[in-house]
Amino acid sequence: IPLEDRTIFSGNLFQYMEENKKWRNRFSIVPHNYGLVLYENKLAYERGLQPRILINSAGYRILTSLEQYLELINSNLPGPAPKSGHALKCPTQFPLILWHPYERHYYFCVMTGQEQEKWRAVFQDCVRHCNNGISEDSKVEAPAFTDAIRMYRQSKEQYGTWDMLCGNEAQVLSNLVMEELLPELKNLIGPRLKGKAQERHRVWIQVSDAVYRLVYDQAKAQYDAMVTKCELERPQLQSAIRTDMDQIIQSKEHLASKIKASVYSKAELCVRNHIQPYITSILEALMIPTSQGFAEVREVFFKEVTDMNMNILNEGGMEKLGEYMEKLSRLAFHPVKMQSCYEKMDQLKLEGLQQRFDVSSASVFKQRAQILMRQQMDDTVFTFETLLHQELGKSLSKEELCKTIQRILERVLKKYDYDSSTVRKKFFREALLQITIPFLLKKLVPTCKGELARFQELIFEDFARFILVENTYEEVILQSVMKDIMMAVKEAAVQRKHNLYRDSIVMHNSDPNLHLLGEGTPIDWGEEYGGEAGSDPSDEKLRRAKQVVSVIQVDEGALPYEVTSLEGSPDTSPVEPAESDGAPSPPPPQSSPDGVKELRGMLVKEFHVDAPVDAGEKGEAPLSNGTVVQESQGTTERTQEEEAPLAPPTADARLVEHPAGSEEEEVPAPAPASPATPLPLAAVGEAPSDSPEPSDKETGEETAAAPVCEEPAQDDSEGLQTQF
């Protein structure tokens, strides 16, 4: 888990309690699994008491004004829209509302616009993470589930993207049921709602939420039972497939050829008339905001490393390196610093194309691009960490360390350009398919759908479980449009539009150092370079409380409450970088290269070529704070010749090259929790007193181990004093 034993953010929020119609101050914490947890107060959290409520934010929208909220609830309320406003009166001008089409709504507010923006970024990161609840590590089960959902909706003549394909499997199934059940509920319950518009709205939300929870419980139970049944039948099916694999493949190829002969010409005609003229405009609409977002990721990474380099040169040297690198290692999971990257996708507009191709909204593509940005940032930071760690075995002075960091930065940015090009091209192809395939299938229903029944007789009865006519038909349709999509993306790369590169110019295996990136244990910068070897064990609880996003420190007399860091106020002494529980100390250097890693390390040193330093560079004055290093925007000609471009990753692997057989760096996405419910005392076990962090059981998250560094990133963007 990338942020195990860490919190993303914590602080106080005012929450509106619908039971007594009053606002209450709540201590809120966002743990590593992105479930929002609310406590009565900070003291309750520190004592390890049970939280008031847990919120799984999958499917929610974050609203920052009452006008937005009123517009949404009026469109979803049964009967005519109310003329007057909502009874909710926010005590400040900075509300934060979590809206869901079926579940309960949550109302918060803060005191300043700066707090509102920070909490909004944190909430949006929670929604983004929880929406991506179906694990991408499963190469069979996850695509089978999403295809089944899509085909079910197509059987109901609902084509195109679906905004509520979010959350874990049980949540997706619940959303699917509620989509069909909600109109019937409105017709049944709507006429019976009495009272003012505000009261009718409150009752309707309660009814919808209660029905959703009943649906969720049944959907989860039936889905779990179906998964168990499939697991029991898997050995038998695998045995049958292995035995008859050749015959199954031949039968499917024969079926595909017959279907292709019948429908391919019609599909090509439809593509030529209704899809091909619009592919370029769709691609351009996708490329502009996506490429701007990835360029912003590059800029944020460059700025963070450059600032770190200047601070090392002017202040700390090697002594401060561990502290700075711990903060940098969590950059991808810093929602406030990454917000400038995510906001670029808000420019994505598909209005004209939305109606033509039956795209409900562009939120599906925005969220996917934002997830890829975070993954790309995480991979880039990991590459930088590993290459820098390899260089630190040498005895470097402060100036040599800064030059080494600058050289590695240039190499990593070069690699980032190639990697981001590969990732974006894959995203463009997938997005174009998501837009055009449902439209094409819908167009071909009158002419081709009725002919599929006669192809069923071409499948042997023994193979009917493995070969489906509908799936084979969609594969044929996919082939008819895929070549046009591939050609459009290739032309954009050839023209170097938005910094896209052709695949042929990427040089593979160009740097021997890359073969070592996936080996060894994760780098613990705090332990190796932070001077924590003799730290007091009594500080362990305080170190575990470190969080990714630093908070705004304000005068206590200025606000009724403040969003405070768990580490204390600015007056306290700085907390040393965190150290993982029970983490082994780094092994001492060995005198002889007996191991494989040591031999590889010697080979790497032999391949390494130090760039000669010009006379003018030797006399260069030290950089001062605020100086922008212009050389990092592009390397000199000599450096470009000596530093070969790093090879891009494969499409399915982590965007950092690993040696064969190394899978430890892949980070699975944790499954999101069940819908948020107020917890009874027996629902969650009491947390141990020495570790008040909400457990995975509390937030409903399943966790998987992944090697990571544990020091949070620091947010200095506010211009105020911040501290861990």
Side-chain angles (χ1 to χ4, degrees):
I1 303 171
L3 301 174
E4 191 171 11
D5 297 329
R6 290 291 176 270
T7 59
I8 305 296
F9 196 54
S10 63
N12 288 78
L13 287 168
F14 281 130
Q15 182 188 10
Y16 180 72
M17 312 302 296
E18 294 184 278
E19 295 79 11
N20 54 18
K21 298 183 179 180
K22 293 183 179 180
W23 292 84
R24 289 287 182 265
N25 197 354
R26 296 283 183 248
F27 180 74
S28 309
I29 182 170
V30 180
H32 66 273
N33 46 27
Y34 293 89
L36 181 62
V37 187
L38 302 178
Y39 289 86
E40 187 73 29
N41 48 47
K42 186 175 181 180
L43 183 61
Y45 165 73
E46 292 175 342
R47 289 180 176 178
L49 301 181
Q50 297 171 6
R52 296 273 302 182
I53 195 169
L54 309 176
I55 302 177
N56 181 300
S57 53
Y60 276 88
R61 290 178 58 181
I62 312 300
L63 309 177
T64 55
S65 71
L66 291 177
E67 290 74 16
Q68 292 176 309
Y69 180 65
L70 290 175
E71 183 179 351
L72 283 173
I73 62 174
N74 290 339
S75 62
N76 285 272
L77 186 66
K83 298 180 181 179
S84 60
H86 192 263
L88 177 66
K89 302 299 181 183
C90 185
T92 72
Q93 299 179 359
F94 309 103
L96 285 163
I97 303 174
L98 274 64
W99 178 89
H100 194 284
Y102 313 129
E103 291 191 74
R104 172 186 173 184
H105 303 166
Y106 296 93
Y107 313 95
F108 304 100
C109 72
V110 292
M111 298 299 297
T112 66
Q114 201 168 27
E115 288 180 274
Q116 185 189 45
E117 287 302 312
K118 181 171 274 191
W119 274 107
R120 176 173 171 266
V122 173
F123 282 173
Q124 286 181 337
D125 221 28
C126 293
V127 172
R128 192 179 299 115
H129 178 89
C130 293
N131 281 352
N132 194 34
I134 301 177
S135 175
E136 298 181 4
D137 294 332
S138 173
K139 303 303 181 184
V140 177
E141 289 83 357
F145 177 79
T146 54
D147 283 346
I149 295 294
R150 178 180 55 81
M151 296 184 76
Y152 174 81
R153 297 187 77 249
Q154 287 177 183
S155 69
K156 303 291 185 179
E157 297 185 356
Q158 294 174 328
Y159 294 82
T161 58
W162 185 37
D163 289 344
M164 296 308 295
L165 186 64
C166 53
N168 56 34
E169 290 84 354
Q171 288 173 304
V172 172
L173 292 172
S174 302
N175 295 338
L176 190 65
V177 174
M178 290 297 294
E179 185 181 41
E180 300 181 9
L181 188 59
L182 201 62
E184 298 181 17
L185 275 178
K186 287 183 177 181
N187 294 332
L188 181 64
I189 304 295
R192 303 184 183 184
L193 296 177
K194 305 299 181 181
K196 296 182 179 180
Q198 295 83 0
E199 182 64 18
R200 288 190 291 112
H201 165 259
R202 187 182 65 84
V203 175
W204 169 250
I205 291 297
Q206 292 178 347
V207 170
S208 177
D209 182 69
V211 172
Y212 181 85
R213 296 186 187 287
L214 291 173
V215 171
Y216 176 85
D217 292 339
Q218 296 185 30
K220 188 176 189 307
Q222 295 185 27
Y223 175 77
D224 291 342
M226 177 61 67
V227 170
T228 303
K229 180 181 177 182
C230 292
E231 289 295 330
L232 293 175
E233 295 179 355
R234 173 177 289 185
Q236 180 182 358
L237 291 175
Q238 289 179 340
S239 176
I241 289 176
R242 291 190 180 99
T243 303
D244 302 323
M245 179 60 74
D246 293 339
Q247 292 87 340
I248 292 174
I249 293 175
Q250 291 177 3
S251 180
K252 183 178 179 180
E253 290 177 348
H254 178 68
L255 174 65
S257 65
K258 294 296 184 180
I259 294 178
K260 186 174 183 178
S262 175
V263 306
Y264 195 76
S265 59
K266 302 175 184 176
E268 279 194 322
L269 181 63
C270 186
V271 169
R272 187 164 57 250
N273 293 336
H274 300 286
I275 294 179
Q276 198 176 59
Y278 301 97
I279 288 180
T280 303
S281 57
I282 298 174
L283 182 59
E284 189 69 20
L286 289 168
M287 281 196 301
I288 293 175
T290 306
S291 297
Q292 289 178 356
F294 276 85
E296 184 67 17
V297 170
R298 187 186 195 276
E299 184 63 26
V300 169
F301 174 74
F302 169 78
K303 180 181 180 298
E304 290 294 319
V305 176
T306 303
D307 290 345
M308 179 189 73
N309 207 8
M310 289 190 295
N311 290 335
I312 290 175
L313 182 63
N314 297 321
E315 298 176 11
M318 188 69 74
E319 293 75 15
K320 287 285 188 178
L321 179 64
E323 176 184 346
Y324 294 138
M325 286 303 300
E326 286 284 1
K327 297 172 184 177
L328 182 67
S329 66
R330 299 275 63 85
L331 178 59
F333 303 96
H334 196 299
V336 177
K337 289 187 177 181
M338 291 293 294
Q339 184 67 11
S340 62
C341 309
Y342 300 148
E343 287 177 345
K344 299 295 183 182
M345 289 305 300
D346 293 339
Q347 306 173 25
L348 179 59
K349 305 296 182 183
L350 298 173
E351 283 88 355
L353 303 171
Q354 235 167 282
Q355 297 178 355
R356 172 176 293 277
F357 291 100
D358 198 17
V359 178
S360 58
S361 74
S363 61
V364 175
F365 309 110
K366 292 179 182 179
Q367 177 181 290
R368 181 58 184 166
Q370 290 166 348
I371 291 173
L372 293 174
M373 289 176 195
R374 182 172 66 183
Q375 292 175 352
Q376 188 74 7
M377 176 66 87
D378 191 32
D379 295 336
T380 303
V381 171
F382 173 79
T383 307
F384 180 84
E385 283 185 280
T386 310
L387 293 177
L388 178 59
H389 193 258
Q390 292 173 356
E391 294 291 327
L392 294 180
K394 309 172 185 178
S395 297
L396 300 175
S397 64
K398 183 188 298 186
E399 290 74 14
E400 291 173 339
L401 176 60
C402 291
K403 290 182 180 180
T404 299
I405 291 175
Q406 182 69 20
R407 187 174 68 250
I408 292 176
L409 172 62
E410 293 167 355
R411 296 173 60 194
V412 171
L413 289 177
K414 187 185 297 185
K415 183 180 190 302
Y416 175 86
D417 291 337
Y418 287 108
D419 289 354
S420 65
S421 173
T422 302
V423 171
R424 282 180 289 141
K425 285 190 291 185
K426 182 181 178 183
F427 167 71
F428 296 149
R429 289 192 291 264
E430 292 176 349
L432 286 170
L433 286 175
Q434 281 184 278
I435 293 172
T436 58
I437 288 296
F439 172 80
L440 185 56
L441 291 173
K442 185 177 181 180
K443 278 285 185 181
L444 294 175
V445 166
T447 57
C448 300
K449 192 74 172 180
E451 301 180 8
L452 298 182
R454 64 185 179 90
F455 294 108
Q456 187 64 41
E457 62 186 22
L458 299 177
I459 305 174
F460 291 110
E461 185 177 353
D462 295 341
F463 303 155
R465 294 180 299 174
F466 313 122
I467 305 174
L468 300 178
V469 173
E470 187 76 17
N471 290 10
T472 309
Y473 166 72
E474 289 194 0
E475 290 177 6
V476 172
I477 300 302
L478 177 67
Q479 295 174 8
S480 65
V481 70
M482 191 64 188
K483 60 182 181 181
D484 293 307
I485 291 176
M486 296 290 290
M487 183 61 66
V489 176
K490 183 178 179 180
E491 288 179 356
V494 170
Q495 298 172 12
R496 295 294 297 275
K497 281 188 176 181
H498 306 291
N499 206 28
L500 289 179
Y501 296 107
R502 291 179 289 122
D503 295 333
S504 59
I505 69 173
V506 179
M507 301 173 61
H508 295 273
N509 300 324
S510 58
D511 194 328
N513 283 347
L514 288 182
H515 296 292
L516 301 178
L517 288 185
E519 295 188 0
T521 57
I523 304 169
D524 191 338
W525 293 99
E527 181 178 347
E528 292 190 37
Y529 302 98
E532 287 192 355
S535 58
D536 187 357
S538 63
D539 294 336
E540 190 62 34
K541 180 179 178 181
L542 187 60
R543 285 199 298 271
R544 280 202 301 267
K546 289 290 187 67
Q547 58 191 38
V548 171
V549 183
S550 59
V551 296
I552 306 172
Q553 302 293 344
V554 296
D555 185 6
E556 292 185 359
L559 265 62
Y561 69 94
E562 65 174 309
V563 183
T564 56
S565 171
L566 300 184
E567 293 74 52
S569 65
D571 296 333
T572 60
S573 59
V575 180
E576 294 179 348
E579 178 180 324
S580 59
D581 296 341
S585 59
Q590 299 182 9
S591 58
S592 61
D594 296 330
V596 175
K597 295 181 181 178
E598 288 75 8
L599 291 174
R600 287 186 175 179
M602 293 181 64
L603 291 176
V604 171
K605 292 179 182 179
E606 291 176 5
F607 279 110
H608 182 73
V609 179
D610 291 328
V613 181
D614 295 335
E617 188 176 354
K618 293 181 180 179
E620 186 179 10
L623 294 175
S624 60
N625 282 331
T627 304
V628 179
V629 181
Q630 301 295 335
E631 293 179 0
S632 61
Q633 299 293 339
T635 60
T636 60
E637 294 296 326
R638 178 177 298 174
T639 306
Q640 288 182 354
E641 294 174 1
E642 291 171 354
E643 299 293 341
L646 308 184
T650 58
D652 296 327
R654 185 184 174 98
L655 298 182
V656 176
E657 296 202 13
H658 303 286
S662 174
E663 300 176 359
E664 58 186 355
E665 294 299 331
E666 296 184 5
V667 181
S674 59
T677 55
L679 297 178
L681 291 179
V684 178
E686 185 174 352
S689 59
D690 62 339
S691 178
E693 292 280 328
S695 64
D696 295 327
K697 183 178 179 181
E698 287 180 341
T699 51
E701 294 280 349
E702 295 181 2
T703 60
V708 293
C709 302
E710 297 181 356
E711 177 65 13
Q714 181 176 0
D715 179 28
D716 295 325
S717 58
E718 280 75 14
L720 299 178
Q721 178 65 35
T722 59
Q723 177 172 337
F724 292 99

